Amino acid sequence: ENQAVIFNGTELLLWDFKTGIIGGAFSTSVPNADSARSLTVYNGKAYLLDRAGRKIMKYTVGDSAISSPTASLENIDELANASDITIDGSIYIATNGTILKYNSGVKEEFNLGVSNLPDNTKLYTENGFVNLYVLDPAGRRIVVLSKEGAVVQTLTSSQFNDLKDFYVDEKSKTIYVLNNNQLLKVAF
């Protein structure tokens, strides 16, 4: 509720944004800055993509410390080129122009309704969300997919000229988009 997990390039830290205290430095099984991508939190665990190790590491997040690193997925060749992950119980991975879906460590069929996604594709979903959201910087668009991969909606704007990252509030049907140095608010 009051905590965020931060990756500083060599370790994971806990930030209590209510008190402003940063602590709980943890470096065991944390990939280096060149290999690490996509830090996300799901169900009291922090997940970090380790491209060089071809795995997704899972860390337990406590009130004052991070501990218990384990590989959530490992020995997955496609992770070497992955740009992002998101988790809602299943793990979705943007890699090699497509999106992969894993559930309980097993690859599931995912019939992606778009193709040729760029190397810097970003993904977003949460537990309880109806859809999976895809930020496609090269295509200058946000694609809304069903959890089975079908295209539900495509959002474009003349302002989408340097898409970096995004956050989705599905309940209020609002997407916050980091576009270059601007924060855009997109209703859908």
Side-chain angles (χ1 to χ4, degrees):
E1 292 189 16
N2 296 327
Q3 288 185 322
V5 178
I6 301 169
F7 174 65
N8 69 3
T10 58
E11 57 194 1
L12 297 173
L13 304 163
L14 286 177
W15 171 38
D16 185 324
F17 47 85
K18 187 172 183 180
T19 64
I21 295 173
I22 297 176
F26 187 81
S27 59
T28 304
S29 298
V30 175
N32 66 36
D34 292 332
S35 180
R37 296 287 186 284
S38 189
L39 174 64
T40 190
V41 176
Y42 170 75
N43 202 23
K45 310 279 191 233
Y47 294 80
L48 187 59
L49 170 62
D50 178 356
R51 290 173 22 146
R54 299 179 358 259
K55 60 187 171 186
I56 297 174
M57 291 301 299
K58 176 174 64 175
Y59 308 86
T60 300
V61 179
D63 291 338
S64 60
I66 297 170
S67 63
S68 307
T70 59
S72 184
L73 288 177
E74 58 186 333
N75 299 318
I76 309 293
D77 289 338
E78 292 93 347
L79 292 177
N81 297 314
S83 61
D84 203 15
I85 63 171
T86 192
I87 302 172
D88 67 355
S90 294
I91 298 175
Y92 299 87
I93 305 163
T95 185
N96 297 326
T98 193
I99 298 172
L100 306 177
K101 181 178 181 180
Y102 282 81
N103 195 333
S104 300
V106 177
K107 187 175 181 180
E108 291 190 350
E109 187 172 331
F110 190 70
N111 297 311
L112 186 60
V114 294
S115 59
N116 299 319
L117 292 170
D119 292 341
N120 58 346
T121 297
K122 296 286 187 177
L123 303 174
Y124 194 89
T125 195
E126 292 181 11
N127 189 27
F129 270 32
V130 173
N131 296 309
L132 173 66
Y133 299 84
V134 180
L135 185 75
D136 175 2
R140 298 174 58 172
R141 63 186 177 166
I142 298 168
V143 181
V144 182
L145 301 173
S146 72
K147 295 286 179 95
E148 291 75 38
V151 175
V152 173
Q153 186 177 8
T154 301
L155 305 166
T156 60
S157 169
S158 60
Q159 292 181 288
F160 290 174
N161 54 28
D162 190 14
L163 298 170
K164 304 281 188 195
D165 212 343
F166 69 141
Y167 169 81
V168 179
D169 182 341
E170 194 173 73
K171 186 175 180 181
S172 72
K173 301 196 79 54
T174 304
I175 301 174
Y176 298 91
V177 182
L178 181 59
N179 184 74
N180 194 354
N181 62 354
Q182 300 173 313
L183 184 61
L184 305 175
K185 184 177 178 181
V186 178
F188 67 101

